[in-house]
Amino acid sequence: MRFAVVLVWVLCGSAWAEPLRVLAIGDSVLAWHKWTGRDIPSVMGDVLGARVDNDAVAGARFSNASALGRAVGFDVRAQFRRGPWDVVLVNGGANDMLNDCGCGACGGVLDGLLAADLTGEVPQFVAEIRATGAQVLWMGYYASARSGQFAGCRPYLVQYDARMAQLAEATPGMTFIDSEDVLDPDDQANFAFDGIHPSPRGARRIGTYLAQSVAQ
């Protein structure tokens, strides 16, 4: 519903209607297949007829203490650039847990990103985006076919996404969409060779789901 006004304007079919303008920022889940145009944000844009800039960077943390890392896009917040965006698609946080706590005792990292009382770095960043007038569409993580080095992160990511859904409910102009709703971890065809990132088929399923969720 938060996107209804924008989408009526974009999808009404009027000759003067402008396409939806979307900026995608995040980690490798959004960046995967970007070089072939089969990434999640591009699929979402194709379904919506939107203009999409995908600035997501593989390996990016949501919060990176390295100045060099921030400069080259390894901080999701630093990927954001002001522009005429209608929607900013965001994901991120898994690499923080992998690098900052080794997917072990990650309660402190989780709370720093998004605490149970809905404070933390994520709500602050969402507020910054909303202050520009753009809507925020946050994409949650899915369960992978092979967790690999992220195996210990799974319980924390489930909690992270649950809190994110609560944050979206409490934040006008923010919507949370869980990619896990459409990606079966038992179907290897949904995943790339590493069993973690989406295959073109998986990216298509998620991108289409995001577009349909926005359109509804």
Side-chain angles (χ1 to χ4, degrees):
M1 291 300 180
R2 297 183 179 94
F3 290 91
V5 174
V6 173
L7 283 165
V8 166
W9 170 58
V10 174
L11 302 176
C12 65
S14 299
W16 50 265
E18 293 289 336
L20 198 71
R21 296 160 298 185
V22 179
L23 173 67
I25 56 177
D27 59 30
S28 59
V29 175
L30 290 181
W32 215 250
H33 304 297
K34 184 165 66 171
W35 57 93
T36 64
R38 295 181 293 176
D39 51 295
I40 291 169
S42 292
V43 172
M44 174 183 164
D46 289 345
V47 175
L48 289 174
R51 294 177 182 172
V52 176
D53 285 14
N54 186 357
D55 287 357
V57 175
R61 306 182 198 182
F62 180 79
S63 175
N64 196 322
S66 166
L68 177 60
R70 291 194 299 272
V72 295
F74 285 101
D75 183 304
V76 173
R77 299 168 304 173
Q79 295 171 13
F80 177 69
R81 49 190 169 90
R82 290 179 177 268
W85 315 116
D86 299 304
V87 178
V88 178
L89 170 63
V90 192
N91 89 317
N95 289 322
D96 299 68
M97 296 180 192
L98 176 64
N99 290 281
D100 295 343
C101 53
C103 285
C106 290
V109 175
L110 172 62
D111 288 344
L113 291 169
L114 181 54
D117 63 357
L118 304 185
T119 59
E121 292 178 315
V122 169
Q124 293 172 11
F125 182 59
V126 169
E128 291 174 14
I129 297 176
R130 289 291 299 123
T132 70
Q135 306 279 319
V136 176
L137 177 61
W138 193 287
M139 190 190 81
Y141 287 106
Y142 51 76
S144 300
R146 293 195 302 271
S147 299
Q149 58 188 339
F150 288 96
C153 282
R154 175 65 180 164
Y156 296 102
L157 292 174
V158 169
Q159 192 171 9
Y160 183 50
D161 283 348
R163 292 180 183 180
M164 201 68 70
Q166 294 174 6
L167 178 65
E169 286 294 324
T171 305
M174 178 183 180
T175 299
F176 172 78
I177 302 296
D178 196 348
S179 62
E180 187 164 316
D181 291 344
V182 293
L183 218 64
D184 181 359
D186 295 325
D187 187 350
Q188 182 59 47
N190 288 325
F191 299 92
F193 62 91
D194 62 357
I196 295 175
H197 296 95
S199 65
R201 172 185 169 182
R204 186 169 62 251
R205 290 180 65 86
I206 296 173
T208 301
Y209 182 56
L210 291 176
Q212 291 172 343
S213 299
V214 169
Q216 288 173 0

